């Protein structure tokens, strides 16, 4: 299974992505998590991206695409992969096509988690309290929604046109949403 998980900030991509990846025995590749680990380890990349992420802006495509290209070349992706948080722009989606073409593989699905706006903000404020993510404050959250609508939402039409979009209601307890996702992907 080679798939993407998409949805607005707070839709549950990380939580559900990890469970789906486990279900299918594939690695979950989260660009956000890779950036956060670089920040925590104070790497060169981490130093560059910290201020960008804290403002809720997107890390430049050039940095993000190279990182994903390297990761998808690792042998553990042979049985498939789940990309969480990538692509986020049209340029990244085009770059992903190129990466996959070179590897001679195609996507099987783009999973979209659907959650209404009020639930999203409530979830993000809760996560801010629990995880202490430095980009989970009100101003940054607002900006991340704007960026999602402007840059990332347009990609959904692209994956819908390719017949890859699988839409799942992301509202409910974690196991309930997980079951819906598995049923939708295996349908
Ligand atoms: P996430 O964990 O997916 O919510 O990502 C957290 C932050 O990391 C985002 O708000 C962006 O600043 C940055 N980021 C993650 N993935 C990407 C991407 N594909 N392109 C650009 N920036 C990204």
């Amino acid at each position: 299974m080679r798939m993407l998980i998409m949805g607005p900030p707070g839709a549950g991509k990380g939580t559900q992505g990890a469970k789906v990846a486990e279900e299918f025995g594939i690695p979950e590749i989260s660009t956000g998590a890779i950036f956060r680990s670089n920040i925590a380890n104070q790497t060169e990349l981490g130093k560059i991206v910290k201020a960008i992420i804290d403002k809720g802006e997107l890390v430049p495509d050039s940095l993000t695409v190279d990182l994903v290209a390297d990761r998808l070349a690792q042998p553990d992706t042979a049985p498939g992969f789940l990309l969480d948080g990538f692509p986020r722009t049209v340029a990244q989606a085009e770059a992903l096509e190129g990466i996959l073409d070179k590897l001679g593989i195609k996507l099987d699905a783009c999973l979209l988690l659907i959650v209404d706006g009020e639930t999203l903000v409530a979830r993000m404020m809760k996560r801010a309290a629990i995880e202490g993510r430095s980009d989970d404050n009100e101003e940054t959250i607002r900006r991340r929604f704007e960026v999602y609508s402007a840059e990332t939402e347009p990609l959904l039409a692209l994956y819908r046109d390719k017949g890859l979009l699988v839409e799942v209601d992301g509202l409910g307890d974690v196991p309930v949403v997980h079951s819906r996702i598995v049923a939708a992907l295996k349908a």
Side-chain angles (χ1 to χ4, degrees):
M1 171 67 81
R2 301 184 181 105
M3 60 178 290
L4 314 177
I5 186 164
M6 295 187 68
K13 297 188 294 293
T15 304
Q16 294 298 340
K19 288 177 73 72
V20 174
E22 195 186 340
E23 172 87 23
F24 287 94
I26 53 178
E28 182 208 7
I29 303 172
S30 157
T31 42
I34 296 171
F35 289 137
R36 279 189 290 282
S37 124
N38 274 272
I39 293 171
N41 294 319
Q42 300 186 346
T43 66
E44 281 310 307
L45 177 66
K47 284 177 198 161
I48 297 170
V49 301
K50 181 171 183 353
I52 302 172
I53 292 178
D54 282 352
K55 279 190 283 192
E57 303 295 339
L58 292 182
V59 172
D61 290 336
S62 53
L63 295 175
T64 312
V65 166
D66 284 353
L67 196 135
V68 173
D70 288 349
R71 186 62 190 84
L72 289 179
Q74 303 297 313
D76 67 330
T77 61
F81 54 80
L82 178 145
L83 278 173
D84 161 6
F86 182 95
R88 259 178 156 97
T89 63
V90 172
Q92 290 181 12
E94 287 170 355
L96 178 61
E97 294 249 317
I99 295 168
L100 298 179
D101 277 352
K102 264 192 204 153
L103 294 168
I105 53 180
K106 283 191 186 312
L107 286 177
D108 299 307
C110 172
L111 176 70
L112 172 64
L113 289 178
I114 298 174
V115 181
D116 70 87
E118 262 176 49
T119 308
L120 292 173
V121 176
R123 277 191 187 177
M124 299 204 44
M125 296 315 281
K126 193 169 156 198
R127 183 170 77 186
I130 297 169
E131 293 181 15
R133 266 177 60 160
S134 60
D135 60 346
D136 273 352
N137 61 73
E138 207 181 322
E139 200 184 324
T140 305
I141 289 172
R142 200 173 311 121
R143 182 64 193 140
R144 285 163 64 201
F145 279 115
E146 286 170 7
V147 170
Y148 176 78
S149 306
E151 306 279 352
T152 309
E153 232 174 359
L155 301 185
L156 300 177
L158 200 146
Y159 291 113
R160 189 176 285 119
D161 288 350
K162 288 180 192 280
L164 293 177
L165 200 66
V166 178
E167 298 181 61
V168 172
D169 176 6
L171 196 64
D173 291 340
V174 171
V176 173
V177 176
H178 176 66
S179 304
R180 269 182 217 143
I181 292 174
V182 173
L185 287 172
K186 291 186 174 169

